[in-house]
Amino acid sequence: MRLVAQAADGPPTHVLAGDYEKKRLGLVEVATGKLQWEMPLRDIHDLWVLSNGNLLTQTNWTRVIELDAQRRVVWSYDSATMNGNGGKPVEVHAFQRLPDGLTMIAESGPGRIIEVDRAGKIRHQIKLKVSKPDAHRDTRLVRKLDNGHYLVCHEGDAAVREYDAKGRVAWEYAVKTAKGEPAAVYSASRLRNGNTLIGCGNGHRVLEVDPQGKLVWSVEENDVPGIKLAWVTMTERLPNGITRIVNCHAGPDQPQILEVTPDKKLAWAYRDFANFGNATPAALAWTAGN
């Protein structure tokens, strides 16, 4: 089945998710709960459907793979052994296929972002500012922006930092819980209005902040009736203004994915503890077109 990243109107009909409790990456038809296909994995924190329908994912903390429509590996990169990392502590928690065909990979441990070609050769790299080095916590999700900068979530430092192409910090935001304590931030994306949407990890909240760092909108732990935000991982602002939230480690009584309106009403929720478990940090959802 060719995956389609573009969504039509209406609630999602398909969910693609990775769960490292059940050691599964799988595609589910929402209406029936049917698992349409699956593959084994050990660890996962990031996940993409590419414009050609291929899937960019990972099998563990060091190996990134691209799968075609038949789920054959057509490209792979292993940070454990390549480009000077042999024997060094390294983990990968974020990657992205760029418009020029290069693949961006954020390497925790070495503390760098690299862009590699199909042969695995580094074409560009920057060093990251890490105050509390830790191969597991240096980074979570990282996204390259349209301006060529990198928006980096530093879990251990509880900060989102924007780096320019030379590795200089252009913008920084300290991520905190509602009580003002440092939060293990997981995701950040730059919105069309210039604001930044942040998934606060163990901060149990989603924030939207303006370029000056002022909070302009949030979803707190208990804002949505009947829902409790746990470890907030992937977040996305949809074209219709709804915010999609991946809700990890929330327990079997809570949804793993939910969508929230601007006025904090529940628009859609997905709870599936048959196919996935309580460790589902990476998930995508879409509505199949006719």
Side-chain angles (χ1 to χ4, degrees):
M1 177 182 180
R2 186 181 186 276
L3 301 182
V4 180
Q6 296 297 319
D9 291 335
T13 59
H14 293 79
V15 165
L16 177 70
D19 178 80
Y20 57 80
E21 180 181 75
K22 294 199 173 184
K23 306 297 183 185
R24 166 187 287 160
L25 176 68
L27 176 66
V28 175
E29 184 179 53
V30 173
T32 63
K34 181 181 178 181
L35 186 66
Q36 298 192 329
W37 60 258
E38 65 176 302
M39 61 166 280
L41 59 80
R42 191 175 75 194
D43 307 299
I44 188 169
H45 270 163
D46 205 354
L47 180 63
W48 292 84
V49 176
L50 304 179
S51 59
N52 63 0
N54 286 0
L55 178 64
L56 191 66
T57 185
Q58 62 191 131
T59 58
N60 57 43
W61 289 145
T62 65
R63 185 170 181 250
V64 178
I65 62 172
E66 180 182 348
L67 302 172
D68 67 11
Q70 288 72 46
R71 295 182 295 285
R72 297 172 299 198
V73 177
V74 296
W75 181 82
S76 68
Y77 185 92
D78 197 338
S79 285
T81 59
M82 301 176 74
N83 288 309
N85 287 339
K88 298 178 181 179
V90 58
E91 292 188 13
V92 172
H93 302 279
F95 40 86
Q96 181 181 359
R97 178 64 46 77
L98 304 178
D100 59 7
L102 299 180
T103 303
M104 182 209 73
I105 299 172
E107 294 185 332
S108 292
R112 65 179 182 175
I113 292 173
I114 59 176
E115 295 180 9
V116 300
D117 60 20
R118 299 294 290 187
K121 183 177 180 180
I122 295 178
R123 296 297 184 178
H124 182 68
Q125 67 176 309
I126 66 166
K127 290 293 292 182
L128 296 173
K129 173 187 173 182
V130 181
S131 302
K132 302 174 182 178
D134 184 319
H136 186 63
R137 305 192 69 212
D138 286 351
T139 61
R140 279 301 176 261
L141 293 194
V142 176
R143 297 294 183 251
K144 191 169 187 179
L145 304 176
D146 291 341
N147 63 2
H149 291 191
Y150 304 90
L151 196 61
V152 182
C153 294
H154 291 279
E155 183 186 76
D157 286 357
V160 176
R161 298 188 180 107
E162 179 182 342
Y163 296 81
D164 68 15
K166 295 184 177 180
R168 296 173 297 204
V169 177
W171 184 81
E172 185 169 355
Y173 182 81
V175 184
K176 298 180 180 180
T177 69
K179 296 180 179 179
E181 300 168 345
V185 59
Y186 191 101
S187 63
S189 56
R190 185 61 43 78
L191 304 177
R192 290 185 178 182
N193 62 8
N195 293 348
T196 302
L197 185 70
I198 301 172
C200 295
N202 69 350
H204 310 287
R205 61 200 309 229
V206 178
L207 308 178
E208 181 182 342
V209 300
D210 69 13
Q212 290 72 45
K214 180 182 177 182
L215 179 66
V216 298
W217 184 81
S218 71
V219 183
E220 303 296 338
E221 183 175 7
N222 298 299
D223 273 355
V224 183
I227 301 294
K228 190 175 183 66
L229 294 185
W231 202 292
V232 176
T233 58
M234 288 183 162
T235 51
E236 179 184 5
R237 178 65 50 76
L238 303 179
N240 60 7
I242 285 175
T243 300
R244 181 176 293 153
I245 303 167
V246 180
N247 191 31
C248 193
H249 307 316
D253 295 328
Q254 293 293 326
Q256 291 122 316
I257 313 172
L258 62 144
E259 293 181 354
V260 179
T261 64
D263 57 354
K264 305 181 187 181
K265 291 183 172 60
L266 184 66
W268 176 78
Y270 178 80
R271 184 176 66 88
D272 181 356
F273 280 82
N275 293 308
F276 306 110
N278 200 39
T280 305
L284 304 175
W286 64 88
T287 303
N290 296 325

